[in-house]
Structures are given as structure tokens and as C-alpha cells.
Amino acid sequence: MCGIFGYLNYLVKRDRRFIADILVNGLHRLEYRGYDSSGIAFDSDEYEGQIDDPSSKPKRGCIVVRQKGKVEELEHAIKSLENVDWDAEFTVHVGIAHTRWATHGEPSAVNSHPQRSDEHNQFVCVHNGIITNYKDIKQFLTNKGYKFESETDTEVVVKLVKYLYDKHKNDKISFQKLIEMACSQLEGAFALLFKSTHYPGELCATRRGSPMVIGVKCADQLAANHIPVMFSKDLFNHQNTKDSRNDVHLSETTSSNLRGVFSPPLMITDQTTSELSVTGNDRSIEYYFASDASAIIEHTNQVIFMEDDDLAVVNNGALTIHRTQHGEVTSQSSIREIHELKIELQQIMKGNYKYFMQKEIYEQPESVVNTMRGRVNFNTRKVVLGGIKDYLNEIRRCRRLILIACGTSYHSAVATRQLLEELSELPVMVELASDFLDRSTPVFRDDVCIFISQSGETADTILALRYCKQRGALILGFTNTVGSSISRESHCGVHLNAGPEIGVASTKAYTSQFLALVLFGLVLSEDSISKEPRRKAIIDGLQQLPDLIKKVLQCDKKIREYAEALYKESSLLVMGRGYNFATCLEGALKVKELTYMHSEGILAGELKHGPLAMVDDTMPIVMIIMDDPVKTKCMNAYSQVQARGGLPVLICNDDDEELIKLSSRNITVPRTVDCLQGVLCVVPMQLLSFHIAVLRGYDVDCPRNLAKSVTVA
């Protein structure tokens, strides 16, 4: 969803142009997340005194630039600024930036972030997520005389911070305590980054439900490979003072929701310094804050993954992480480790390709190898998944397997459900995370719940994970992102190793999820003698798979020709059954995501129960018919479509003479094991949707209204 980027340099001399370029480039790296507007905030030139206190020391003001549309339009707006000394140098500076995906209020400059506390930009804030109780807070602040210029929930947050500052400024309240107080009032999911003219050189970041990662870059060695967490004591007494009750006219419910407004600030129980700093004489250091590591990797590979309810504060070049102590501290992790990112900058660049999606489609021969690397020994035909090996006995003894996911990840679960049932001989449920939560589905201690997510930050999937975890189920996570929320909150899991995926429409992550689940099934059945022949056939098929995908990619020119015949159409039906029903669902989703055409994945066995009414000689249709156990049934469906004037494009095996003779409109794929055929069949659908979108002139990497990482429910 929204993209957050922040940059703080301490004792590192940077000019204003360099700082603005870093912020804008960070936004470019986050464009793939989906957005409709953008903005940045950075220091202006000094002015005398403070707005509300002329006797105070001079402090720098803050320039906020916001623009609807692409980041390039923001760049143009920045360059158009007048009376800005771009060569001015700063030894210490804080800048924040944001790409917005609209949730509250239409895409516009005034609704873009950073949102500000007042016309003097005393506090500015960028936000990813949704504040669910913003209306109550907004009403309270409106009653106090605050005026709102935007429709966003984020403006409510930054104005609440300003209100709390004005209320407690005589207490010389720190930036950390101020943000702790404000965030204690917020409900919902959020990642927030704050900058203030009252706290020059300081930056505060916090998260709850939305991702945030901190990059660290310094000349000398860091003092430690981890940072301790400082716990704050929650001293709120939940009772409003007499003065506070007289001060506001809100309902009792709203007052209790805003308890921190009427209570003392948080007090630090441990006053000892627990900070990340630099050893040696050179204390210069730079910090990068971002929604994900792709915006940081070009600057540093040393990162800290923030956890829910962490508050990160940089002051005088030192980073501290704080948490509010609710109950026993022992139940919460007391350190945050510094991780070394393994990805390289070239992995998030387009290279010789025009689009990220095109690059990622063509990377699939390598990405499937990476998913299997170190896990499959093709000589001994053994499969090892190190992330779950300690839990295998518990998994085999479970009542049922529940696969829970959203979107493309859900389709990978549908694609492998039949094989998992066959190999494990366990009941396998496949659930959409949002529907799973809506139904309050019964979950038991002897269930195994598998959560699948490319980003590991999908909001509905995380909520379903916590729902199942509370009920005592064993939690497995299948993600493509190290350090993500799902990977941290699962008991065990499997990393996909597909590499960074930038295009919003998932391609290589789908095939890697597919294979990871196949490997999971193979591991579960390794002690079954009766399934040994089937396991060997699948493992042999896995060994050949990368070369077979390369053969499918050679059909690109032919698939483009079909795209040229289809791109002016308004609808496309994709039909199949058995192992390839999931391919139909995923193919139709790709068409919808990229081309904005109506498209539907139809189970061929359901054709006579309604979908056949849509078939005539004008309806574009793709049918997937493989030489597998359901081929005869698929042929019946083909005959029914043909009898109604339908002229489907067939996706079939390259050695199936019967089907190739039956229709000249075909796309052929190599033969492999039936349960792996879906990996090969989905590639033509990926290419077809890609080419239709290009022919229609659409942005393939960033489809309208969509985001790569869906971090709000």
C-alpha cells in the first residue's frame, strides 16, 4: 500500500539537493507498492524564534511539497520551488517522504502526505495504514478549535500530536514521550514517521500492523549487532482528572478512548542508555526508514526490522527503541537484531527489460531453482525443509491442514490442495483470509494452519494468523520476505527464495509458492512406502521444470499474436478443471489486474450450471486441457462450448496430436507430471495478460487502484 521513506544524516555533511534526491529516489523504489500521490518534507532556512515563543532559539522551518500523480510530477514541483537554496549544507537533517494509496479522501495534493499540524508545519507525519477511531479524535480536536484541511485520518494524528505538545510543552516533554502519548490513543493498523521543528535533528517512527524497516550506515563499526529495547511504564490511571472532565464535552466512551490526553506522560523505568551508536572517534551515521528494504538496499545492507508497537527514536545520532510495558516485560523480546540483507541492487532493477513484470516472468526458471536449492537432492530423491523439520511429527499427527491466504497466494493453495490431500492423507481446507475471519471459523489445537503471503505483511492473513494462534493451532508461514510479520509470528515456516518481486501482479512468487507447497507435501509423505513411486515421479518432474519453463517462454511471440486479437475485447473466460482450475483462477486474476477487462476463471465441471449462458461466437475463451485424468471431461466441456459457437484458444500439451489437430488456435506447453503442469500452464496466461495490458497502453507494473503489499484489512 502506501510507501514511507525517511532519511536522517548525523555529522554527515549533505546539501539540500542531495537530501531531496535521496528522498525522491526512495519514493521511486517504493512506487511498485501502488500509489496515486506523493510528497516530501525537509528543512527550510532558519527563521528567528518559534511561532509561539519569540524568545526561543532560532530553529529551522519545514518545507512540505505534495503532488497528485506520479513521483515525476512531485520532482517537477520540487524543482519549481522558489527562494530555496539547494546548495545549503546540513550536518544534521531529517527528511521524510511518502507515496499515498488513497483510503480516506480522493487523490489530491491536500490529501497527500506528509500531513501537517498547522500552517507553519511544526509537526509533519507520513502514515501507512488506517486509523479506525480517527472520527472520535477528530471530533475532540474540532471541539478544541482545530481546523482540518484534508479528509485523511493521518491529519488527525499529527494534529493530536500538536495538541499534546501544546498541553505539555511547559513540562519540556521529549519527542519520544509525545509520540508515545499520541500513539496510545490510536486504534487500527499503522506505520508512522514524525518530524518536528520543535525537535530538530530528531525523528520518531512507530508501527502497529504495517511494516517498517530501519537501515543503518556509518563509517566506523557499530557498537553492537543488536539494540536493546527500552520499556516504558504505562502509568495511565484510566480516570480523567476534574480539570480534564471540565475541559472537554465528549461522551464517556470517547474520553476513555482518549485516556492519554488527560493523563501524565509515559515515564521511563530504566534510565540507562540503551542505544545504537558508532564506535571510534568518527560518530557520523546515516539512518534510512522505509516500508520495505527495496528502498534501502542501495544505501546499506544493515537493517533492523521493527516489531508491532515499537517506537524508534533518533536523537543526537543515537537510535533507541522503546515499548510500553503492559504487564510482564518478560513476554516481549528485549532486543532488535541488526540483519544483513542478502538482496542486491540489481535484483530490484529492470535490467534489459522494459517492465518489472516482464523481467519477473522471465526470471521464473531461476526462481524455481532458488526455491528448490538446498532442499531437493535429485540424486537421492530426498527433500528437506529445514524450517519445519522439528515440527514434522506434530504436523503428521494433526486433525487437518488449513491453508489460508489472499489473492494469488490463495490460488497457489488451491493449485496444491489435491496433491497435499493425496500425499498427506489429511483433510485439507483452503480459505480466503478475509472470509475465514468473517465466519469466525472453528480452529482447534490439533489443527495445522498454513499462511501464505509473498510480502509476509498481508493484513487479513496476519489477522487470521493471530486468530488461529490464540486458539492453539500450529502456525506455518510461507513467505518471500525475511523479517516480515508472518515469518516472525509463525512457529515455523518456509522461505520462498523467489527473490524480490516489484511488479504489483505476482508472477514468480506464485510459481515459487506452488513449488514450496509441493515440497511440503513431499516431506509429509517421505515415510510412506506406498507413495514412493509417486514421490519419485514428482521429484524427477521438479528437476526438469526450469528447462520446461524456458521452453514455454519461447512461445512469447505467438502469445503476443493472440493478445493482439484480444486486447480490444471487454471480457475473457478461462476454463479448466482438476489441477488446472487454480491456473484458470490465477490467469483470470492476472487479466483483471493488468488489463481491467472482465475475466472469470471457470471450473469446467460447472459449465452447465450457469456459465454456458455467456458462451457465443463473440465471447473470447481460453480453455486449459492437459493430457491428465480429467482430459475426457474437459473435452466434453470443449464440445459444449464449440456447439454454442465458441472458438476457444486451447492451452494443451505439445505432444497431444488430438487436440492440436482439433484446433489451430492453440498454445502448447511441454508435458510434465500432472500435479506440476499448473506451473507451466500459468506462464502463457501471465504473458497473455502482460501483452494485452501493454497493447492497451496501461502501466503494467502499477495497475490502477492496486497495491503490492495489502497492509490494511
Side-chain angles (χ1 to χ4, degrees):
M1 291 271 173
C2 302
I4 289 175
F5 188 77
Y7 171 66
L8 186 152
N9 56 300
Y10 180 77
L11 302 183
V12 179
K13 192 172 287 188
R14 301 294 191 197
D15 62 48
R16 186 180 276 124
R17 182 178 287 103
F18 179 90
I19 292 167
D21 287 345
I22 276 193
L23 294 173
V24 169
N25 189 57
L27 295 186
H28 278 301
R29 295 279 181 248
L30 296 169
E31 282 185 294
Y32 77 95
R33 295 173 64 87
Y35 72 106
D36 45 55
S37 53
S38 57
I40 68 169
F42 53 91
D43 285 355
S44 67
D45 295 317
E46 289 185 350
Y47 57 82
E48 294 298 324
Q50 280 297 89
I51 302 302
D52 48 5
D53 185 6
S55 64
S56 64
K57 293 181 180 179
K59 295 178 182 177
R60 290 191 180 276
C62 177
I63 297 173
V64 174
V65 186
R66 300 178 291 190
Q67 191 71 28
K68 178 183 175 182
K70 295 294 184 182
V71 174
E72 287 82 0
E73 296 176 49
L74 175 68
E75 287 185 88
H76 180 72
I78 295 169
K79 291 176 182 177
S80 302
L81 290 175
E82 297 179 354
N83 301 320
V84 174
D85 182 4
W86 293 108
D87 296 321
E89 293 187 333
F90 300 85
T91 305
V92 181
H93 183 279
V94 177
I96 60 176
H98 187 267
T99 54
R100 177 176 184 255
W101 191 84
T103 56
H104 295 80
E106 66 180 10
S108 66
V110 72
N111 285 330
S112 302
H113 300 198
Q115 285 292 314
R116 60 184 187 170
S117 61
D118 60 287
E119 62 182 5
H120 301 294
N121 304 332
Q122 293 180 57
F123 293 90
V124 291
C125 166
V126 292
H127 168 218
N128 173 21
I130 291 179
I131 308 300
T132 55
N133 65 332
Y134 82 99
K135 289 183 179 178
D136 290 336
I137 303 174
K138 187 173 185 177
Q139 184 60 53
F140 167 75
L141 293 172
T142 301
N143 293 342
K144 303 298 290 183
Y146 283 81
K147 305 294 183 183
F148 290 83
E149 60 184 6
S150 78
E151 302 170 74
T152 66
D153 52 344
T154 309
E155 188 182 7
V156 171
V157 177
V158 74
K159 278 184 162 54
L160 175 62
V161 172
K162 176 66 167 62
Y163 169 79
L164 291 170
Y165 174 79
D166 291 341
K167 188 175 180 66
H168 294 283
K169 63 183 176 182
N170 292 334
D171 302 328
K172 296 184 178 179
I173 186 171
S174 69
F175 205 9
Q176 170 223 327
K177 292 180 183 178
L178 184 63
I179 301 306
E180 279 183 328
M181 288 178 65
C183 290
S184 69
Q185 318 313 319
L186 306 181
E187 297 173 5
F190 54 80
L192 294 160
L193 209 55
F194 295 92
K195 166 183 168 64
S196 173
T197 58
H198 297 290
Y199 302 95
E202 292 188 49
L203 183 148
C204 285
T206 186
R207 62 155 287 182
R208 184 189 303 161
S210 295
M212 182 79 80
V213 60
I214 306 170
V216 185
K217 179 182 180 182
C218 56
D220 282 345
Q221 188 175 354
L222 292 170
N225 62 357
H226 66 273
I227 177 172
V229 176
M230 300 176 69
F231 288 90
S232 304
K233 189 67 177 177
D234 187 356
L235 297 179
F236 295 148
N237 57 19
H238 303 274
Q239 298 293 326
N240 297 339
T241 64
K242 182 178 180 181
D243 290 341
S244 297
R245 287 195 299 270
N246 294 334
D247 194 30
V248 295
H249 304 284
L250 294 175
S251 68
E252 184 176 346
T253 303
T254 306
S255 297
S256 63
N257 286 340
L258 294 172
R259 66 182 197 278
V261 173
F262 317 109
S263 307
L266 295 172
M267 302 300 294
I268 302 298
T269 57
D270 181 5
Q271 295 293 341
T272 60
T273 302
S274 299
E275 62 187 32
L276 182 69
S277 56
V278 184
T279 59
N281 296 324
D282 187 354
R283 295 189 61 234
S284 62
I285 192 167
E286 295 168 279
Y287 293 99
Y288 304 85
F289 291 75
S291 296
D292 67 51
S294 63
I296 293 176
I297 188 61
E298 65 186 286
H299 304 293
T300 179
N301 64 350
Q302 302 292 311
V303 299
I304 299 168
F305 294 101
M306 292 180 65
E307 296 189 8
D308 276 357
D309 296 315
D310 280 356
L311 172 62
V313 181
V314 181
N315 187 12
N316 292 325
L319 171 68
T320 54
I321 293 182
H322 307 261
R323 289 178 70 89
T324 304
Q325 178 184 337
H326 295 292
E328 294 296 324
V329 179
T330 53
S331 64
Q332 300 171 336
S333 174
S334 59
I335 64 169
R336 297 290 175 267
E337 291 189 9
I338 300 172
H339 298 270
E340 184 175 336
L341 291 175
K342 301 300 182 184
I343 64 174
E344 298 178 3
L345 181 60
Q346 65 184 28
Q347 292 180 280
I348 59 172
M349 301 294 284
K350 292 177 185 176
N352 296 323
Y353 295 92
K354 190 174 181 180
Y355 302 96
F356 280 114
M357 182 185 175
Q358 184 183 26
K359 172 176 178 272
E360 288 153 9
I361 291 172
Y362 275 85
E363 283 178 342
Q364 287 177 109
E366 291 76 35
S367 64
V368 298
V369 169
N370 291 334
T371 300
M372 295 186 285
R373 179 173 283 120
R375 294 167 172 168
V376 186
N377 186 322
F378 294 110
N379 295 323
T380 61
R381 293 194 176 96
K382 295 292 183 183
V383 180
V384 177
L385 294 177
I388 65 170
K389 64 180 181 180
D390 293 337
Y391 293 85
L392 277 176
N393 289 334
E394 186 176 349
I395 296 170
R396 291 187 182 117
R397 291 195 304 266
C398 74
R399 174 199 296 240
R400 58 183 174 170
L401 300 174
I402 308 177
L403 278 61
I404 303 170
C406 301
T408 287
S409 299
Y410 170 77
H411 295 157
S412 71
V414 174
T416 52
R417 171 176 53 190
Q418 183 177 340
L419 180 66
L420 289 175
E421 288 174 334
E422 176 189 347
L423 294 179
S424 69
E425 296 184 352
L426 290 167
V428 179
M429 296 174 58
V430 177
E431 299 279 356
L432 284 165
S434 56
D435 182 56
F436 180 83
L437 289 167
D438 291 344
R439 300 189 339 255
S440 299
T441 308
V443 175
F444 306 99
R445 290 182 61 84
D446 51 356
D447 287 332
V448 170
C449 299
I450 302 169
F451 295 89
I452 311 163
S453 169
Q454 189 280 136
S455 67
E457 301 291 350
T458 310
D460 283 323
T461 308
I462 293 173
L463 292 173
L465 183 154
R466 292 168 182 166
Y467 172 89
C468 295
K469 199 171 186 179
Q470 289 172 356
R471 284 152 181 79
L474 179 66
I475 307 299
L476 277 67
F478 281 62
T479 78
N480 193 39
T481 309
V482 175
S484 63
S485 295
I486 289 178
S487 65
R488 291 198 309 269
E489 296 187 32
S490 301
H491 295 120
C492 58
V494 177
H495 186 252
L496 301 179
N497 294 326
E501 189 176 65
I502 306 300
V504 168
S506 183
T507 51
K508 65 177 182 177
Y510 173 78
T511 49
S512 287
Q513 288 169 343
F514 191 124
L515 288 195
L517 289 165
V518 170
L519 298 183
F520 176 65
L522 292 171
V523 168
L524 290 185
S525 62
E526 65 183 358
D527 58 351
S528 173
I529 297 175
S530 63
K531 294 183 176 59
E532 195 61 29
R534 175 67 161 161
R535 293 182 75 257
K536 288 180 179 179
I538 295 170
I539 292 171
D540 289 343
L542 290 172
Q543 187 174 17
Q544 300 168 6
L545 202 57
D547 291 333
L548 298 183
I549 294 174
K550 290 177 182 177
K551 287 185 179 180
V552 178
L553 291 170
Q554 292 172 4
C555 300
D556 190 19
K557 185 177 179 181
K558 185 176 184 180
I559 293 169
R560 179 183 166 82
E561 292 173 359
Y562 285 121
E564 289 171 350
L566 291 170
Y567 82 97
K568 292 183 180 179
E569 301 288 348
S570 59
S571 186
L572 178 66
L573 304 182
V574 189
M575 302 180 187
R577 67 186 296 167
Y579 284 109
N580 278 296
F581 172 52
T583 309
C584 299
L585 295 176
E586 176 61 12
L589 178 62
K590 288 292 154 286
V591 172
K592 283 182 278 194
E593 286 179 311
L594 298 172
T595 72
Y596 318 148
M597 289 169 60
H598 164 261
S599 186
E600 189 175 345
I602 297 173
L603 185 64
E606 292 295 300
L607 196 57
K608 294 187 291 294
H609 298 282
L612 196 57
M614 294 188 290
V615 175
D616 59 23
D617 58 357
T618 64
M619 174 61 73
I621 299 171
V622 173
M623 294 194 74
I624 303 173
I625 306 178
M626 294 294 110
D627 192 3
D628 59 18
V630 296
K631 178 183 176 182
T632 302
K633 296 176 180 178
C634 288
M635 290 296 295
N636 290 337
Y638 176 80
S639 298
Q640 293 164 25
V641 168
Q642 206 172 35
R644 272 77 181 177
L647 296 171
V649 175
L650 289 182
I651 299 178
C652 60
N653 289 124
D654 57 6
D655 59 355
D656 193 332
E657 297 294 337
E658 178 188 4
L659 283 174
I660 293 173
K661 290 178 181 177
L662 193 63
S663 173
S664 60
R665 292 162 54 87
N666 61 68
I667 300 169
T668 59
V669 299
R671 181 186 297 273
T672 187
V673 189
D674 54 1
C675 63
L676 299 179
Q677 199 73 62
V679 175
L680 301 180
C681 292
V682 79
V683 176
M685 292 305 304
Q686 293 171 349
L687 289 168
L688 183 67
S689 57
F690 166 77
H691 286 305
I692 292 175
V694 172
L695 289 166
R696 286 184 163 215
Y698 297 148
D699 187 339
V700 175
D701 291 328
C702 297
R704 69 185 184 196
N705 305 333
L706 298 180
K708 182 64 177 173
S709 181
V710 185
T711 55
V712 293

